[in-house]
Amino acid sequence: MDTRQIDQIAQRLAMTLPPGLKSLRHELTDNFRAILQSQLERLDLVSRDQFEAQAALLSRTSERLKALETRLESLESQQRGRG
């Protein structure tokens, strides 16, 4: 989650404060932002771009593995035919 989204959430939380706490809004917004960032970091999330890059890599690796398995089966059958 980017910092702009975290800022928006923190501001929305601060806007829900009762009227008596409006004077603390700026300080509480900063605290909300810090708490949100630390909790999201603890979740060890990856960005959509990172996820898609890894999914593409996995797909290519899977295709290559299938090709190698097919080649190995072919070589094994040729070897059996000679033996």
Side-chain angles (χ1 to χ4, degrees):
M1 184 175 272
D2 66 27
T3 55
R4 188 183 43 190
Q5 290 175 320
I6 292 173
D7 288 342
Q8 289 173 352
I9 294 169
Q11 288 174 0
R12 281 190 228 145
L13 287 170
M15 296 299 284
T16 64
L17 295 173
L21 297 176
K22 297 237 187 235
S23 61
L24 300 174
R25 182 176 288 159
H26 182 70
E27 183 179 334
L28 289 171
T29 300
D30 291 342
N31 288 339
F32 291 149
R33 185 180 304 115
I35 290 168
L36 287 167
Q37 284 178 326
S38 73
Q39 292 303 311
L40 287 171
E41 287 172 4
R42 287 181 63 200
L43 293 175
D44 198 23
L45 302 174
V46 296
S47 70
R48 174 54 96 183
D49 291 340
Q50 291 171 324
F51 175 82
E52 289 175 357
Q54 290 300 312
L57 178 62
L58 179 59
S59 178
R60 287 192 307 269
T61 302
S62 179
E63 290 171 8
R64 185 155 186 220
L65 177 59
K66 286 177 187 175
L68 288 172
E69 287 173 338
T70 302
R71 184 174 174 203
L72 179 59
E73 288 173 8
S74 174
L75 290 172
E76 287 175 340
S77 67
Q78 287 176 6
Q79 186 66 25
R80 277 187 238 123
R82 294 182 189 164

